[in-house]
Amino acid sequence: YYVFSVMNMWTDVFASIGKRTTGTAPGSFLIAGPNWNGTSPVGIKETFRSSTRYAWALGQTQANGPDDFAAVNALQAEYKLTPLSAWGAPYSPPANVPVDGSVALTPTPPIQVANMDAGTFFNRLAMVMKDNPPRPADANAVWKLAKLGIVSGVKFDIEQIDPAVARGLKRAVKEVQVLMNEGTTKMKNVNGWIRPPNLGRYGTDYETRTGIAMAGLGADLQEDTIYPLAFVDGDGNRLDSANKYVLRFDKGQLPPTNATWSVSLYQGPNYVPNPLNRYDIAPWMALNYGPDGSLEIYIQKDSPGKDKEANWLPAPPTGEFNIIIRNYWPKEEALNGAYVNPPIKRVP
């Protein structure tokens, strides 16, 4: 199983290339920008148009453990990007690509954005909108920004606008950080699990788009991947390393998938180093199933014992954490809500 989600700079998925949509036979696809007026050359399976000048691809290929790495690495080596100008002729990617040394590599982009003052943030927004225009559906938001002096391609100087508006913008860039974090944890959940809506097709759902960009930039369409997320246990209490938990799937109740699934643990946006060097539980692993066919995953900071370690998902030494179930190419019952993930239960 593989999938490439190709996104515009607003993180909307405009092309899903993979086993679900285009199959697994060899093929070539054309990705073109909004101003391209050419004709697709012979041999192109399908042409996809980005609404923004720049685009990017999130590619994923299923690997069923270390024994599968060699085969998957060989397949990945066959994924190639070729400029249309070089199509049909031998092409070697440039060996030395200039890198802008002025771009800070640390801290992470979400932290860099959070640390921007209002003048820097809104000027950056105005500049990038020139090459990456909003869609027609964003007309109301664009109009509101223009009323504040934020116009596509026009330098924004916060010192030159109405002082009251400037004060509001300065408050906004700080308050929105709190609102985004609160918005994720306050979403309606089922058995403690939340599933953000509209992934990859955000439209004017700016809150979800922003939350996903902050937590993990870009997401597949829900037909390709769903990401149930838990910050709390089944009783609504925040997941915390001071406690021990079990996630139990009864027989026949594993995530319904056409490809594969995994259960991962994060602290904030990061994996947590642990003695097993294990960051998820997946069906390719040598898991221990109960006599009744059930699967219990033990989520805790200390080993549950050698007899249970195969099913241990290590928690961080201290602090709160969250759990994500990834279901790749989910079956219809997972998409429409007929299937419900079991709760994470706190145990003595």
Side-chain angles (χ1 to χ4, degrees), residues 15 25 43 61 70 75 80 85 100 130 140 148 178-179 229 253-255 276 282-284 326 332:
T61 305
L75 178 61
K80 294 181 173 65
S85 58
D100 185 353
K130 181 179 179 181
N140 189 48
L148 301 173
V178 177
L179 292 173
L229 170 64
Q253 291 300 305
L254 291 170
L276 294 186
W284 62 264
R326 289 182 173 85
E332 181 59 29

Side-chain angles (χ1 to χ4, degrees), residues 181-218:
N181 284 299
E182 288 180 348
T184 304
T185 55
K186 289 181 178 178
M187 288 180 66
K188 179 183 177 181
N189 72 67
V190 179
N191 282 348
W193 298 95
I194 60 176
R195 219 177 92 190
N198 308 318
L199 295 187
R201 297 187 185 96
Y202 302 101
T204 56
D205 182 359
Y206 304 121
E207 291 184 0
T208 299
R209 184 200 307 274
T210 305
I212 296 300
M214 180 183 69
L217 185 64

Side-chain angles (χ1 to χ4, degrees), residues 127-311:
M127 293 299 102
V128 299
M129 282 200 298
K130 181 179 179 181
D131 280 331
N132 305 287
R135 291 185 170 182
D138 297 311
N140 189 48
V142 172
W143 176 79
K144 289 180 179 179
L145 288 170
K147 295 277 285 184
L148 301 173
I150 303 159
V151 179
S152 173
V154 178
K155 181 177 174 59
F156 174 74
D157 185 348
I158 197 168
E159 301 301 328
Q160 300 301 313
I161 66 172
D162 183 290
V165 174
R167 288 194 297 271
L169 292 177
K170 290 175 182 178
R171 287 197 307 272
V173 295
K174 301 303 179 185
E175 291 174 355
V176 72
Q177 306 294 328
V178 177
L179 292 173
M180 284 193 295
N181 284 299
E182 288 180 348
T184 304
T185 55
K186 289 181 178 178
M187 288 180 66
K188 179 183 177 181
N189 72 67
V190 179
N191 282 348
W193 298 95
I194 60 176
R195 219 177 92 190
N198 308 318
L199 295 187
R201 297 187 185 96
Y202 302 101
T204 56
D205 182 359
Y206 304 121
E207 291 184 0
T208 299
R209 184 200 307 274
T210 305
I212 296 300
M214 180 183 69
L217 185 64
D220 298 332
L221 297 174
Q222 67 171 5
E223 295 92 332
D224 289 315
T225 315
I226 56 174
Y227 310 81
L229 170 64
F231 291 93
V232 298
D233 61 23
D235 294 320
N237 298 311
R238 190 69 171 87
L239 296 173
D240 193 293
S241 295
N243 305 314
K244 299 177 182 179
Y245 304 92
V246 170
L247 174 59
R248 175 189 168 91
F249 295 94
D250 290 334
K251 181 179 180 180
Q253 291 300 305
L254 291 170
T257 181
N258 290 298
T260 191
W261 55 268
S262 65
V263 179
S264 302
L265 185 149
Y266 293 85
Q267 194 163 43
N270 303 314
Y271 285 122
V272 181
N274 62 79
L276 294 186
N277 198 29
R278 178 183 293 163
Y279 303 99
D280 70 358
I281 295 290
W284 62 264
M285 297 176 174
L287 303 172
N288 291 331
Y289 291 81
D292 59 356
S294 64
L295 174 67
E296 292 189 337
I297 298 173
Y298 305 102
I299 305 168
Q300 55 191 71
K301 62 181 179 181
D302 299 315
S303 171
K306 285 294 181 181
D307 59 326
K308 296 181 177 180
E309 234 173 52
N311 297 11

Side-chain angles (χ1 to χ4, degrees), residues 51-84:
S51 63
T52 58
R53 177 181 178 182
Y54 300 104
W56 59 292
L58 173 64
Q60 301 166 90
T61 305
Q62 181 179 349
N64 288 324
D67 292 344
D68 211 14
F69 288 174
V72 171
N73 288 339
L75 178 61
Q76 289 176 318
E78 295 301 313
Y79 299 152
K80 294 181 173 65
L81 278 170
T82 305
L84 182 58

